[in-house]
Amino acid sequence: MTVAMSKGSSGGKVIVRHQEILHLTSLNQISCIVHRNQENQSAEVTFILLGFSEYPELQMPLFFLFFTIYTVTVLGNLGMVMIIQINPKLHTPMYFFLSHLSFVDFCYSTVVTPKLLENLVVEDRTISFIGCIMQFFFACIFVVTETFMLAVMAYDRFVAVCNPLLYTVVMSQKLCFLLVSASYSWGIACSLTYTYFLLTLSFCGTNFINNFVCEHAAIVSVSCSDPYISQKIILVSATFNEISSLMIILTSYVFIFITVMKMPSTGGRHKVFSTCASHLTAITIFHGTILFLYCVPDSRSSWLMVKVASVFYTVVIPMLNPLIYSLRNKDVKETVKKLINVKLFCDKI
């Protein structure tokens, strides 16, 4: 009888174990089905970037305008990186940061502008779900990185003006590398966070995005689910990024202004203001556009206003930065002249 009970007990354990395996298998199958459904949904979802389609007569003029801007952006930013690399006089912390700013501007423009140009000359303005998410992901990386790269450059100017004797010690190669790495890392972290919460939303079928770029507000506006959490996450994060970077910039320039006012010679003051003018111009254009777009009442009520402002900070600003820094910089202009003279000399030979 004991043997019988033992056999019965063993049989019961086998049955229970078999049921557990069936249960786990069912859960795995359900998980796979849900995952497959999400993949199918992503495959079926498409976005149509309306862009400037409501102005058909402006399509070709806008194409040539943006193509010219993008060409200047690529040549200007990559040219700036090359000039800084080949001129030993420009191997300083300020130009190290400027080379990374130029690289970020080139990448940022390249993420957005080619699709904009394509949509101006083709009838089919669709972009896949994955394509839209990837454009949003990379655009976020570079815009957040640029925000803090400008703040890092303000800190660099603060050290150069307020502590000139300790500048080379404070702004060591290690610190410069850490500041640049931190800017890129924070940009990637923010972008991953925004994209994760964006992917928690559901999208159905074909969706019309009333913009030329996959911007967060435009994407969540066509979502089939409640975007409250995603909107709050990006609002809090973007507010923190804007306020913290502006605080670094404003604090740096307040100390710079105080130091300059204490200088006895007007020549010294002029030299400092001339050095900082390019950076202040770039900061004013970049942050001024963002603050206008997101902080001025009713600025987002008109989609045309949103598109114009978006064009400015995604297409125009990356072109302006190398022009601002090169036109006001003696060393950069001298390097460009030498390269042109070398090219002319080689052509004559």
Side-chain angles (χ1 to χ4, degrees):
M1 185 168 177
T2 304
V3 173
M5 287 180 64
S6 178
K7 287 183 178 179
S9 177
S10 300
K13 289 180 180 178
V14 170
I15 292 172
V16 170
R17 181 61 181 162
H18 183 63
Q19 288 176 340
E20 288 177 354
I21 292 171
L22 287 175
H23 180 64
L24 290 172
T25 304
S26 300
L27 288 176
N28 289 332
Q29 288 175 343
I30 292 170
S31 177
C32 290
I33 291 169
V34 170
H35 182 67
R36 197 179 299 117
N37 287 339
Q38 288 176 342
E39 288 184 341
N40 290 338
Q41 180 191 8
S42 299
E44 292 169 3
V45 171
T46 56
F47 297 106
I48 297 177
L49 297 170
L50 296 178
F52 299 95
S53 57
E54 64 267 38
Y55 305 103
E57 70 281 0
L58 295 178
Q59 299 296 294
M60 290 311 296
L62 286 175
F63 173 82
F64 288 113
L65 173 63
F66 293 143
F67 180 77
T68 303
I69 291 174
Y70 182 60
T71 303
V72 174
T73 300
V74 172
L75 295 177
N77 285 291
L78 293 184
M80 182 66 75
V81 173
M82 182 187 71
I83 287 169
I84 292 170
Q85 290 296 319
I86 65 176
N87 188 349
K89 289 175 66 178
L90 303 181
H91 293 175
T92 63
M94 182 179 78
Y95 291 106
F96 175 72
F97 298 134
L98 179 56
S99 66
H100 281 280
L101 180 68
S102 295
F103 174 73
V104 168
D105 279 332
F106 163 73
C107 293
Y108 188 33
S109 182
T110 301
V111 167
V112 174
T113 310
K115 189 62 181 178
L116 168 61
L117 293 173
E118 179 189 338
N119 288 342
L120 287 170
V121 294
V122 298
E123 292 294 328
D124 183 12
R125 296 184 174 88
T126 59
I127 182 171
S128 66
F129 177 81
I130 297 299
C132 191
I133 294 299
M134 291 304 292
Q135 186 189 62
F136 171 77
F137 173 73
F138 284 109
C140 285
I141 288 177
F142 296 121
V143 73
V144 174
T145 301
E146 177 154 355
T147 301
F148 285 95
M149 199 70 71
L150 289 170
V152 167
M153 293 173 75
Y155 175 73
D156 171 71
R157 291 299 83 207
F158 157 73
V159 177
V161 174
C162 299
N163 296 290
L165 298 178
L166 297 175
Y167 179 67
T168 54
V169 177
V170 175
M171 299 304 295
S172 63
Q173 188 174 3
K174 182 180 179 181
L175 179 62
C176 292
F177 179 78
L178 286 174
L179 290 172
V180 168
S181 300
S183 298
Y184 283 113
S185 300
W186 183 245
I188 294 170
C190 288
S191 186
L192 284 171
T193 304
Y194 303 156
T195 306
Y196 171 78
F197 283 98
L198 195 61
L199 289 173
T200 60
L201 303 178
S202 299
F203 299 90
C204 313
T206 302
N207 304 276
F208 293 90
I209 293 181
N210 196 9
N211 209 329
F212 63 90
V213 62
C214 291
E215 184 234 0
H216 185 269
I219 297 174
V220 299
S221 67
V222 297
S223 171
C224 301
S225 54
D226 185 8
Y228 178 79
I229 295 177
S230 180
Q231 287 175 325
K232 288 302 177 184
I233 289 292
I234 199 166
L235 175 63
V236 172
S237 178
T239 303
F240 169 78
N241 290 340
E242 188 68 12
I243 292 176
S244 59
S245 61
L246 282 176
M247 285 299 294
I248 295 170
I249 292 167
L250 291 174
T251 303
S252 298
Y253 274 100
V254 165
F255 281 106
I256 289 172
F257 182 78
I258 293 171
T259 303
V260 169
M261 287 297 100
K262 291 179 180 178
M263 289 181 177
S265 66
T266 55
R269 294 178 186 177
H270 177 75
K271 184 179 179 181
V272 172
F273 280 127
S274 178
T275 305
C276 296
S278 300
H279 184 238
L280 278 172
T281 304
I283 288 170
T284 303
I285 294 172
F286 181 79
H287 285 282
T289 305
I290 292 177
L291 291 173
F292 169 78
L293 186 58
Y294 293 99
C295 298
V296 175
D298 301 326
S299 64
R300 295 188 68 85
S301 59
S302 168
W303 277 107
L304 177 60
M305 186 70 71
V306 172
K307 291 176 188 178
V308 172
S310 298
V311 162
F312 201 77
Y313 80 81
T314 59
V315 179
V316 178
I317 288 178
M319 176 196 69
L320 292 178
N321 281 344
L323 296 178
I324 291 168
Y325 283 100
S326 62
L327 292 176
R328 297 188 60 88
N329 193 291
K330 181 181 176 182
D331 293 328
V332 172
K333 287 191 286 187
E334 285 181 357
T335 305
V336 172
K337 287 178 182 178
K338 287 180 181 178
L339 288 174
I340 293 172
N341 291 333
V342 170
K343 181 69 169 62
L344 292 174
F345 179 75
C346 292
D347 290 340
K348 287 180 182 179
I349 295 176

